[in-house]
Amino acid sequence: MQLSFQNDRVLAVVAHPDDAELLCAGTLARARPDGAVIAICVLCRGDKGQPSKKVANLTDLRRKEMAASAKLVGAELFTGDFPDGTLMDTPRARSKVIEIYRKFNPTLVLAHAAEDYHPDHRAASLIAEAASWFCASRGHRTRSPAIQTPPALWWMDTVNMSGFNPGFYVDISQHVGLKKKMLACHQSQLARGNDTDFSPLEEMMRLQYRARGMQAGVEAAEAFRAHFAFKRGRAW
Amino acid sequence: MQLSFQNDRVLAVVAHPDDAELLCAGTLARARPDGAVIAICVLCRGDKGQPSKKVANLTDLRRKEMAASAKLVGAELFTGDFPDGTLMDTPRARSKVIEIYRKFNPTLVLAHAAEDYHPDHRAASLIAEAASWFCASRGHRTRSPAIQTPPALWWMDTVNMSGFNPGFYVDISQHVGLKKKMLACHQSQLARGNDTDFSPLEEMMRLQYRARGMQAGVEAAEAFRAHFAFKRGRAW
Amino acid sequence: MQLSFQNDRVLAVVAHPDDAELLCAGTLARARPDGAVIAICVLCRGDKGQPSKKVANLTDLRRKEMAASAKLVGAELFTGDFPDGTLMDTPRARSKVIEIYRKFNPTLVLAHAAEDYHPDHRAASLIAEAASWFCASRGHRTRSPAIQTPPALWWMDTVNMSGFNPGFYVDISQHVGLKKKMLACHQSQLARGNDTDFSPLEEMMRLQYRARGMQAGVEAAEAFRAHFAFKRGRAW
Amino acid sequence: MQLSFQNDRVLAVVAHPDDAELLCAGTLARARPDGAVIAICVLCRGDKGQPSKKVANLTDLRRKEMAASAKLVGAELFTGDFPDGTLMDTPRARSKVIEIYRKFNPTLVLAHAAEDYHPDHRAASLIAEAASWFCASRGHRTRSPAIQTPPALWWMDTVNMSGFNPGFYVDISQHVGLKKKMLACHQSQLARGNDTDFSPLEEMMRLQYRARGMQAGVEAAEAFRAHFAFKRGRAW
Amino acid sequence: MQLSFQNDRVLAVVAHPDDAELLCAGTLARARPDGAVIAICVLCRGDKGQPSKKVANLTDLRRKEMAASAKLVGAELFTGDFPDGTLMDTPRARSKVIEIYRKFNPTLVLAHAAEDYHPDHRAASLIAEAASWFCASRGHRTRSPAIQTPPALWWMDTVNMSGFNPGFYVDISQHVGLKKKMLACHQSQLARGNDTDFSPLEEMMRLQYRARGMQAGVEAAEAFRAHFAFKRGRAW
Amino acid sequence: MQLSFQNDRVLAVVAHPDDAELLCAGTLARARPDGAVIAICVLCRGDKGQPSKKVANLTDLRRKEMAASAKLVGAELFTGDFPDGTLMDTPRARSKVIEIYRKFNPTLVLAHAAEDYHPDHRAASLIAEAASWFCASRGHRTRSPAIQTPPALWWMDTVNMSGFNPGFYVDISQHVGLKKKMLACHQSQLARGNDTDFSPLEEMMRLQYRARGMQAGVEAAEAFRAHFAFKRGRAW
């Protein structure tokens, strides 16, 4: 079986600047050559992830890093500009994301799973889900008009795979190189690899795509679960 | 997203002569024009499903009916020839099905879910799973040699959808006509629609593909869940 | 087995004006002749569900429609008067619903399941649950005094049945006519049946009560799951 | 809410002579005054449960004990006469139980849950389920003719409540005395209360009906979960 | 197997003054002699739990009661000082608890499960989880500096065990006396045992530790489930 | 927290000669220095796992390999001597394993999970569970007398981690070297690493203990879930 993203417009909605790299960059890279249009929406600034050797304008630097990474996979970049660690599912946050959906008009949204480890990830999950319904409702006014059809929604794997039961796997064996290059754009974070409050991201990412690959009979894979809710479910 | 079965060899392993029609005929019909090769393996004879107006050679008649139905979808037909109601996961039953796998060499097996309603369906589920592992093991001898790679395995929806949580849906909107025609081949069963020990099959089937369609945003759908076990998992 | 609502006071707590019709109207109709007292509490105004052919005073119209529907089943009507799309589980929302519980004194609350599709449904679920505890706590002051015992709480099916595992089914075969008439009161919504941001409600409702009926051996059924939390659990 | 067993014929299918007492005797006692007809089917002889002070004709004694207990609740007694510890879901075991169903014609079967602790309980669960389908199928021949409709099927709580998630609770507060008297019939087992390979049954039973009662707002309760499979599901 | 808390610093984070007693006091008592350092953090004041015979300075009294109880087990006491019934997972509540974590530096946090019965318990669960991540992140500023490593996190049993599937049990057979004495400190609550809006706490507590003990082969036990999320998972 | 196996007698019950190495060897190595007594019971001969370069007396060779491996960890070795691929939960298989339990008298059994990938693993799981009950029942006669208390039972991780939700993790960081040496004893299997019907075992094993370690904050871990069934549950 092969899954094609030919007519899709795929939008990854993540909490922090390097989350898309860890959890769905390979799938974005896979969708691109099928003919899909790609975008990444990063809700938080990444402003609280200071390396021990402090960076002066961290918010600016991280924006540049994510722009560089998005460019590598040919993705349009949207940002929510929320401060780290305080993301909540509020009417204001919903409106911001609804407007981003309306600008990009996704057919498929990739979002953090409710069981992920970080409070910002879980808030991003709720907001992405709420917006996936409201974006197509004319009663919910934002600058742009409502779109025709709510997008499909897939929950992404959790960081380190804890508690996530995959519904299906996307083969990213041919796209591991790009996934790594995208992660490499986030030098301000990779520099934290030895800080006590951080983790060696490259190894974590490699271990995860290899383990998911082992479960799915390929060199490397990313795992997802479809969200089957009214109008967001899709038959393939 | 669209799922292609282009290079697949799809084998439906079912318990009774009309189970493939109810649970996966639309998907077989979908896979065919993609270029897939199709087969149906019916493990039991259907010998205990007598209409109130008794049929003389019921086993023969049902074999003809399933052959007619398989022909409609262009599927090779395999039979296990087990009596109804006594199917068990035994070494002998496994060997029979291993040999069928080796003859057909499937890349994808569609099998009854463990949570289905009928003891024969649950036994068929166990046998189909066991064979999906052993068919590729040289230590397990049958007439034909071991195949190279265990097939992927998808669990089919349950009859009437009770207790089945879908992992994904296949759009069969364009293949409902064929699914209905295949069911119509089973006149010996449709004749039982008013018997106290039977059900009106056409309406049940229609209600199920419409309800699954409603959940997946299409006119008609069939639901499945992938079996992620060592070497049977696949990334798409 | 037959479930009797003889001494019950049943309160359906829903998010939008036509949710009770879709998910529990048949059960309300069933409880009535048993001797139960019935009420419906609609938390949101329905103010964002404009048909493409705009309605002038939509909030007023929908209030009239829900009043007409409630009257058909002999239910007292309570309203939360919250705007659509922004319902949240806040102390203020809880207080409003606590007071409604204290006015009506329910023995059984029917509420949206946590796994339902609409953010307002999920907020309504949280509020209904919180109120089911606080309504009986004297420390939580509202205009009316605390009631003696927290009500039982049942989660209703989701719209289109996605992700909902029923705990039990209520036979509504004798009450389908009334359920349909109640839905027919919501002409402002039925008018949206062909809008791109809406759905044909009658067909959806019919498909769901028929599918749930098929799973439960009757012509039509509604599905629920009991909430077993401290003091809200009940033995029958 | 109150559940009535007025027109029911309730058959408890258990593995060992004292299992019905522990897990469903209160419910049988509740159903009786509603007008239900009651039966207990014990599949194994109880021949391996020797007290340390050996009993000569243990099989005979246990049969007398279960007959005395069944009599107390007004239940007809059926026995499978299988030796303890070797019960398996075989065609022969199914036939025996199918015939028992056909003799009693139950509308509701109470059976061990698949997650219960004892291999015989789990085998009894499979057999009771298989028979609940085949009893109504004319193709499956036993001495008595097929019955009209498969019975509903409820899974009983596990011994000590481990791993069992209740779907609903039956209030047995008024029937605790009878439940205790029924258990007291099994003197050959109560005598084992201090043996290293046994347990103090009365205390276990009391702790369980009190804990289940606490969860359900009553003095004492028994917990069940309905089996929703084709034709065994019921709307109430 | 025996679990040792030798080098641990165990912090119970609960919603109300007597929750630690009901759900984890035995485990705190067990950890102490192993060499662990113990603390209890009570987030709400207990100000809404008035006995029918009103207490003048209830907040003060309950603080004294919890101090007395904490002293019995040798635990440091932290308080969140939030009013009952309005606890929410907000940035402010998180900051307060982050600072408490940083002061105490726990290696293990015991927190209410998401499936517990009381809205305050569920909010406390969210806050305890969020703080368990942020406490070790330097970007999240509070008065004290970030700690080195996020603590492990265990979810506690629910009050009355409803809906909680234990991951493991802690043997508290030797510590039941202390657990009871700790509960006995809360006289303002025990006095409510006969109020219609309250429960007999001692019996509830006893029934629960006995039932959990029965499931775990000991006289008395408390049940937990580990939270396996990034950096909060631990191998033993 | 640290788990001690000080007074334990740990018995791993596995299907094939190299399964203990993959799934629990690190835990056995951890238990040893605590003072535990260790044993491994291999139910099947490993007779069907022929490398492409055929081995003459494969059964003998594999027995030598497993003996060498068991010796490395100081484990007594028991064998079931069943042919590969046909293991079933029968009275005879149960008796064999009951007798092994009675000889070794385990306090803890490590067994394959029901959700593991191989039919022999699942049969071994059922047999190990059945024997864990019957070994302590005097009514079940084997050569040795019944033991006093049923052992605790832990389910082991699945091969490649598919579908297994860990209940807890054992830190094996200090024992990876021994785990690897034990696997290296199975040269007849490692030789199959490039066969089409086999897998590179060392890499698979490494990927799994590293991924489980990542989830549990250590270099390497093995994952388990306790079986909470009557008398097999334990409080720690």
Side-chain angles (χ1 to χ4, degrees):
Chain A
M1 292 69 61
Q2 178 121 6
L3 200 59
S4 165
F5 298 87
Q6 188 177 357
N7 297 310
D8 280 303
R9 301 180 60 83
V10 185
L11 173 64
V13 178
V14 296
H16 304 115
D18 49 5
D19 286 328
E21 284 71 9
L22 294 174
L23 299 175
C24 67
T27 300
L28 298 180
R30 243 285 299 270
R32 198 84 205 295
D34 279 4
V37 181
I38 307 295
I40 297 171
C41 168
V42 180
L43 293 177
C44 299
R45 292 178 197 146
D47 59 318
K48 295 219 173 59
Q50 276 287 6
S52 57
K53 197 172 177 175
K54 211 174 171 177
V55 172
N57 291 307
L58 185 58
T59 299
D60 287 354
L61 178 57
R62 298 206 73 180
R63 187 181 299 258
K64 278 174 203 153
E65 291 173 348
M66 54 177 134
S69 173
K71 199 176 168 188
L72 282 176
V73 74
E76 188 171 357
L77 179 67
F78 296 93
T79 56
D81 208 35
F82 292 95
D84 283 13
T86 59
L87 194 64
M88 297 276 161
D89 176 24
T90 61
R92 187 176 144 260
R94 288 179 185 177
S95 281
K96 226 177 203 176
V97 176
I98 291 169
E99 175 58 18
I100 289 169
Y101 283 23
R102 288 174 174 176
K103 274 190 193 141
F104 181 67
N105 192 17
T107 60
L108 172 63
V109 167
L110 309 178
H112 291 298
E115 59 267 47
D116 208 354
Y117 80 105
H118 192 297
D120 287 345
H121 287 213
R122 295 191 295 266
S125 179
L126 290 170
I127 299 166
E129 207 275 346
S132 77
W133 179 256
F134 292 132
C135 66
S137 163
R138 278 172 296 123
H140 290 266
R141 301 266 172 77
T142 62
R143 188 173 298 221
S144 303
I147 58 180
Q148 292 286 314
T149 314
L153 181 47
W154 292 0
W155 305 118
M156 305 186 295
D157 204 353
T158 57
V159 172
N160 93 0
M161 307 181 288
S162 286
F164 189 84
N165 291 312
F168 50 93
Y169 295 79
V170 174
D171 182 357
I172 62 158
S173 305
Q174 305 304 316
H175 306 280
V176 162
L178 184 56
K179 187 175 163 92
K180 282 179 174 174
K181 274 183 205 150
M182 287 172 69
L183 185 66
C185 294
H186 297 275
Q187 283 304 323
S188 70
Q189 295 309 295
L190 298 173
R192 299 172 69 196
N194 295 320
D195 292 5
T196 56
D197 69 341
F198 210 64
S199 304
L201 292 183
E202 294 102 332
E203 198 213 344
M204 270 181 52
M205 187 175 89
R206 203 189 61 82
L207 197 47
Q208 186 153 347
Y209 68 66
R210 285 287 296 119
R212 288 309 191 194
M214 176 172 74
Q215 293 173 347
V218 293
E219 185 60 27
E222 287 169 349
F224 298 91
R225 207 174 57 240
H227 177 51
F228 295 119
F230 193 37
K231 295 207 176 178
R232 262 85 31 106
R234 288 294 182 281
W236 295 333
Chain B
M1 290 70 61
Q2 178 122 6
L3 201 60
S4 166
F5 298 87
Q6 187 176 359
N7 297 309
D8 280 303
R9 301 180 61 81
V10 186
L11 172 64
V13 178
V14 297
H16 304 114
D18 49 5
D19 286 328
E21 285 70 9
L22 293 175
L23 299 175
C24 67
T27 300
L28 298 179
R30 243 284 301 266
R32 199 82 205 298
D34 281 2
V37 182
I38 307 294
I40 297 171
C41 168
V42 180
L43 293 176
C44 298
R45 292 177 197 147
D47 58 319
K48 295 215 173 59
Q50 277 285 6
S52 54
K53 196 171 177 178
K54 213 173 170 177
V55 171
N57 291 307
L58 185 59
T59 299
D60 288 353
L61 177 58
R62 298 207 74 181
R63 187 182 299 259
K64 278 174 203 155
E65 290 173 347
M66 54 176 136
S69 173
K71 197 176 170 189
L72 282 178
V73 74
E76 188 173 356
L77 179 68
F78 296 93
T79 56
D81 207 34
F82 291 96
D84 283 12
T86 59
L87 194 65
M88 297 275 163
D89 176 25
T90 61
R92 186 175 146 263
R94 288 179 185 177
S95 282
K96 223 178 206 177
V97 177
I98 291 169
E99 175 59 16
I100 290 169
Y101 283 22
R102 287 173 174 177
K103 273 190 194 142
F104 181 68
N105 192 16
T107 60
L108 172 64
V109 167
L110 308 179
H112 290 298
E115 59 267 47
D116 208 354
Y117 79 105
H118 192 297
D120 287 344
H121 287 213
R122 294 191 296 266
S125 180
L126 290 170
I127 299 165
E129 208 275 346
S132 77
W133 178 256
F134 292 133
C135 66
S137 163
R138 279 172 296 122
H140 290 266
R141 302 268 173 75
T142 63
R143 185 174 299 224
S144 304
I147 59 179
Q148 292 287 314
T149 313
L153 181 47
W154 292 1
W155 305 119
M156 305 186 295
D157 203 354
T158 56
V159 172
N160 93 0
M161 308 181 289
S162 285
F164 189 83
N165 291 311
F168 49 93
Y169 296 79
V170 174
D171 182 358
I172 63 157
S173 306
Q174 305 305 315
H175 307 280
V176 161
L178 184 56
K179 187 176 163 91
K180 283 178 174 173
K181 274 182 206 152
M182 289 172 68
L183 185 66
C185 295
H186 298 274
Q187 284 303 322
S188 70
Q189 295 308 295
L190 298 173
R192 299 171 68 199
N194 295 320
D195 291 6
T196 58
D197 69 342
F198 209 65
S199 304
L201 291 183
E202 295 102 330
E203 198 214 345
M204 269 181 52
M205 187 175 89
R206 201 189 62 83
L207 198 48
Q208 186 153 346
Y209 67 65
R210 285 288 295 121
R212 290 308 191 194
M214 176 173 74
Q215 293 174 346
V218 293
E219 186 59 27
E222 287 170 350
F224 299 91
R225 209 175 55 240
H227 177 51
F228 294 118
F230 193 37
K231 295 205 176 181
R232 263 84 33 107
R234 290 293 182 280
W236 295 335
Chain C
M1 292 70 61
Q2 177 122 5
L3 200 59
S4 165
F5 298 86
Q6 187 176 358
N7 298 309
D8 281 302
R9 301 180 60 81
V10 185
L11 172 64
V13 179
V14 297
H16 304 115
D18 48 5
D19 286 328
E21 283 70 10
L22 293 174
L23 300 174
C24 67
T27 300
L28 298 179
R30 243 285 300 269
R32 199 85 205 295
D34 280 3
V37 182
I38 307 294
I40 298 172
C41 168
V42 180
L43 293 178
C44 298
R45 292 177 198 147
D47 58 318
K48 293 215 175 60
Q50 276 286 6
S52 55
K53 196 172 178 176
K54 211 172 171 178
V55 171
N57 291 307
L58 185 59
T59 299
D60 287 354
L61 178 57
R62 300 206 72 181
R63 186 181 300 259
K64 277 173 204 156
E65 291 173 348
M66 55 177 134
S69 172
K71 199 176 169 189
L72 283 176
V73 74
E76 187 171 357
L77 179 68
F78 297 93
T79 56
D81 207 35
F82 292 95
D84 283 14
T86 59
L87 194 65
M88 298 276 161
D89 176 26
T90 61
R92 187 176 145 260
R94 289 179 185 176
S95 282
K96 224 177 205 177
V97 177
I98 291 169
E99 175 59 17
I100 289 169
Y101 284 23
R102 288 174 175 177
K103 274 190 193 142
F104 181 68
N105 192 17
T107 60
L108 171 63
V109 168
L110 309 178
H112 291 297
E115 59 267 47
D116 208 353
Y117 79 105
H118 192 297
D120 286 345
H121 287 212
R122 294 191 296 265
S125 179
L126 290 170
I127 298 165
E129 206 276 345
S132 77
W133 179 255
F134 292 131
C135 66
S137 162
R138 279 171 296 121
H140 290 267
R141 301 267 174 76
T142 61
R143 187 173 298 223
S144 304
I147 58 181
Q148 293 285 315
T149 313
L153 181 48
W154 292 0
W155 306 119
M156 305 186 295
D157 203 353
T158 57
V159 171
N160 93 359
M161 308 181 288
S162 286
F164 189 85
N165 291 312
F168 49 92
Y169 295 79
V170 174
D171 182 357
I172 62 159
S173 305
Q174 305 305 316
H175 305 280
V176 162
L178 184 56
K179 187 175 162 92
K180 283 178 173 174
K181 273 183 206 152
M182 288 172 70
L183 185 66
C185 294
H186 297 274
Q187 283 304 323
S188 70
Q189 296 308 296
L190 298 174
R192 299 172 68 197
N194 294 320
D195 291 6
T196 58
D197 68 342
F198 209 65
S199 304
L201 291 182
E202 295 102 332
E203 197 213 345
M204 271 181 52
M205 188 176 89
R206 202 188 61 82
L207 198 48
Q208 185 152 348
Y209 67 66
R210 285 287 295 121
R212 289 309 192 195
M214 176 173 74
Q215 294 174 345
V218 293
E219 184 61 26
E222 286 170 349
F224 298 91
R225 208 173 56 240
H227 177 52
F228 295 118
F230 193 37
K231 294 205 176 179
R232 263 83 34 106
R234 289 294 181 280
W236 295 334
Chain D
M1 291 70 61
Q2 179 122 6
L3 201 58
S4 166
F5 298 86
Q6 187 177 358
N7 298 309
D8 281 303
R9 301 181 60 83
V10 186
L11 172 64
V13 178
V14 297
H16 305 115
D18 49 5
D19 287 328
E21 284 71 8
L22 294 174
L23 300 175
C24 67
T27 300
L28 298 179
R30 243 284 301 268
R32 198 85 204 296
D34 280 2
V37 181
I38 306 295
I40 297 172
C41 168
V42 180
L43 293 177
C44 299
R45 293 177 196 145
D47 58 319
K48 295 217 173 58
Q50 275 286 7
S52 54
K53 196 171 179 177
K54 213 173 170 177
V55 172
N57 291 308
L58 184 59
T59 299
D60 287 354
L61 177 57
R62 299 207 73 181
R63 187 181 299 259
K64 278 173 202 152
E65 291 173 349
M66 54 176 135
S69 172
K71 197 175 169 190
L72 282 177
V73 74
E76 187 172 357
L77 179 67
F78 296 93
T79 55
D81 208 34
F82 292 96
D84 283 12
T86 59
L87 194 64
M88 298 275 162
D89 176 26
T90 61
R92 187 177 145 261
R94 288 179 186 177
S95 281
K96 224 178 206 178
V97 177
I98 291 169
E99 174 59 16
I100 290 169
Y101 284 22
R102 287 173 174 176
K103 273 189 194 142
F104 181 68
N105 192 16
T107 60
L108 171 64
V109 167
L110 309 179
H112 291 297
E115 59 266 47
D116 209 353
Y117 79 106
H118 192 297
D120 287 345
H121 288 213
R122 294 191 296 265
S125 180
L126 290 171
I127 299 165
E129 207 276 346
S132 77
W133 179 255
F134 292 131
C135 67
S137 163
R138 278 171 296 123
H140 290 266
R141 301 268 173 74
T142 63
R143 185 173 301 223
S144 304
I147 58 180
Q148 292 287 315
T149 313
L153 181 47
W154 292 0
W155 305 118
M156 304 186 295
D157 204 354
T158 57
V159 172
N160 94 0
M161 308 181 287
S162 286
F164 189 83
N165 291 311
F168 49 94
Y169 296 80
V170 174
D171 182 358
I172 63 159
S173 305
Q174 305 305 314
H175 306 280
V176 161
L178 184 55
K179 187 175 163 92
K180 283 178 174 173
K181 274 183 205 150
M182 288 171 69
L183 185 66
C185 294
H186 298 273
Q187 284 304 323
S188 70
Q189 296 307 296
L190 297 174
R192 298 171 69 198
N194 295 319
D195 291 6
T196 58
D197 69 342
F198 209 66
S199 303
L201 291 183
E202 295 101 331
E203 197 214 345
M204 270 182 52
M205 187 175 89
R206 201 190 61 83
L207 197 47
Q208 185 153 346
Y209 67 66
R210 285 287 295 120
R212 290 309 192 193
M214 175 173 75
Q215 294 174 346
V218 294
E219 186 60 27
E222 287 170 349
F224 299 90
R225 208 175 54 241
H227 177 51
F228 295 117
F230 194 37
K231 294 205 176 179
R232 263 86 30 109
R234 288 293 182 281
W236 295 334
Chain E
M1 292 70 61
Q2 178 121 7
L3 200 60
S4 166
F5 298 87
Q6 188 176 357
N7 297 309
D8 280 303
R9 301 181 61 81
V10 185
L11 173 63
V13 178
V14 297
H16 304 116
D18 49 5
D19 287 328
E21 285 69 9
L22 294 174
L23 300 175
C24 67
T27 299
L28 297 179
R30 243 285 300 268
R32 198 83 205 297
D34 280 3
V37 181
I38 306 295
I40 297 171
C41 168
V42 180
L43 293 178
C44 297
R45 291 176 198 147
D47 59 318
K48 295 216 173 59
Q50 277 287 6
S52 55
K53 197 172 177 176
K54 211 173 171 178
V55 171
N57 291 307
L58 184 60
T59 299
D60 287 354
L61 178 58
R62 299 207 73 181
R63 187 181 300 259
K64 279 173 202 154
E65 291 172 348
M66 55 176 134
S69 172
K71 198 176 169 189
L72 282 177
V73 74
E76 188 172 355
L77 179 67
F78 296 93
T79 56
D81 208 33
F82 291 95
D84 283 14
T86 60
L87 194 64
M88 297 275 161
D89 176 25
T90 61
R92 187 176 145 261
R94 289 179 185 177
S95 281
K96 224 177 205 178
V97 177
I98 291 169
E99 175 59 17
I100 289 169
Y101 283 23
R102 287 174 175 176
K103 274 190 192 141
F104 181 69
N105 192 17
T107 60
L108 172 63
V109 167
L110 309 178
H112 291 297
E115 59 267 47
D116 208 353
Y117 80 105
H118 193 297
D120 287 345
H121 287 213
R122 294 191 297 264
S125 180
L126 290 170
I127 298 166
E129 207 276 346
S132 77
W133 179 255
F134 292 132
C135 66
S137 163
R138 279 172 294 121
H140 290 267
R141 301 267 173 75
T142 63
R143 188 173 298 224
S144 303
I147 58 181
Q148 292 287 314
T149 313
L153 181 47
W154 292 0
W155 305 119
M156 305 187 296
D157 203 354
T158 57
V159 172
N160 93 359
M161 308 181 288
S162 286
F164 189 84
N165 291 311
F168 49 93
Y169 295 79
V170 174
D171 182 358
I172 64 159
S173 306
Q174 304 306 315
H175 306 280
V176 161
L178 184 55
K179 187 175 163 92
K180 282 179 173 173
K181 275 182 204 150
M182 287 172 68
L183 185 66
C185 294
H186 297 274
Q187 284 304 323
S188 70
Q189 295 308 296
L190 298 173
R192 300 171 68 198
N194 295 319
D195 291 5
T196 57
D197 68 342
F198 209 65
S199 304
L201 291 183
E202 295 101 331
E203 198 214 345
M204 271 181 51
M205 187 175 89
R206 202 189 62 82
L207 196 48
Q208 185 152 346
Y209 68 65
R210 286 287 296 121
R212 289 309 190 193
M214 175 173 74
Q215 294 174 345
V218 293
E219 185 59 27
E222 287 169 350
F224 298 91
R225 209 174 57 238
H227 177 51
F228 295 118
F230 193 37
K231 296 204 174 179
R232 262 84 33 105
R234 290 292 182 281
W236 294 334
Chain F
M1 292 69 62
Q2 179 122 5
L3 200 59
S4 166
F5 298 87
Q6 189 177 355
N7 298 310
D8 280 303
R9 301 180 59 83
V10 186
L11 173 64
V13 178
V14 296
H16 304 116
D18 48 6
D19 286 329
E21 285 69 9
L22 293 175
L23 298 176
C24 68
T27 300
L28 298 179
R30 243 284 301 268
R32 198 85 204 296
D34 280 3
V37 182
I38 306 295
I40 297 172
C41 168
V42 180
L43 294 177
C44 299
R45 293 177 197 146
D47 58 319
K48 294 215 173 60
Q50 277 285 7
S52 55
K53 198 172 178 175
K54 213 174 170 177
V55 172
N57 290 309
L58 185 59
T59 298
D60 288 353
L61 177 58
R62 299 207 73 181
R63 187 181 299 259
K64 278 174 202 152
E65 290 173 348
M66 54 176 135
S69 172
K71 198 177 170 188
L72 282 177
V73 73
E76 187 171 357
L77 180 67
F78 295 93
T79 56
D81 208 35
F82 291 96
D84 283 12
T86 59
L87 194 64
M88 297 276 163
D89 175 26
T90 61
R92 187 176 145 261
R94 289 179 185 178
S95 280
K96 225 179 206 176
V97 177
I98 291 169
E99 175 59 17
I100 290 170
Y101 283 22
R102 286 173 174 176
K103 274 190 195 142
F104 181 68
N105 193 15
T107 60
L108 172 63
V109 168
L110 308 179
H112 291 297
E115 59 268 45
D116 209 354
Y117 80 105
H118 192 297
D120 286 344
H121 288 214
R122 293 191 296 265
S125 179
L126 289 171
I127 299 165
E129 207 275 347
S132 77
W133 179 256
F134 292 131
C135 66
S137 163
R138 278 171 296 121
H140 289 267
R141 301 268 172 75
T142 63
R143 185 173 300 224
S144 304
I147 58 181
Q148 292 287 314
T149 314
L153 182 47
W154 292 359
W155 305 119
M156 305 187 295
D157 204 354
T158 57
V159 172
N160 93 0
M161 308 181 288
S162 286
F164 188 83
N165 292 311
F168 50 92
Y169 295 80
V170 174
D171 182 359
I172 63 158
S173 306
Q174 305 305 315
H175 305 281
V176 162
L178 184 56
K179 187 176 163 91
K180 282 178 174 172
K181 274 183 205 149
M182 288 172 68
L183 185 66
C185 294
H186 298 275
Q187 284 304 322
S188 70
Q189 295 309 294
L190 297 174
R192 299 172 68 198
N194 295 319
D195 292 6
T196 58
D197 69 341
F198 210 64
S199 303
L201 291 183
E202 294 102 330
E203 198 214 343
M204 270 181 52
M205 186 175 90
R206 202 189 61 81
L207 197 48
Q208 186 154 345
Y209 68 65
R210 286 286 296 120
R212 289 307 191 195
M214 177 173 74
Q215 293 173 347
V218 294
E219 186 60 26
E222 287 170 349
F224 299 91
R225 208 175 56 241
H227 178 51
F228 295 118
F230 193 37
K231 294 205 176 179
R232 263 85 32 107
R234 289 293 181 282
W236 295 334

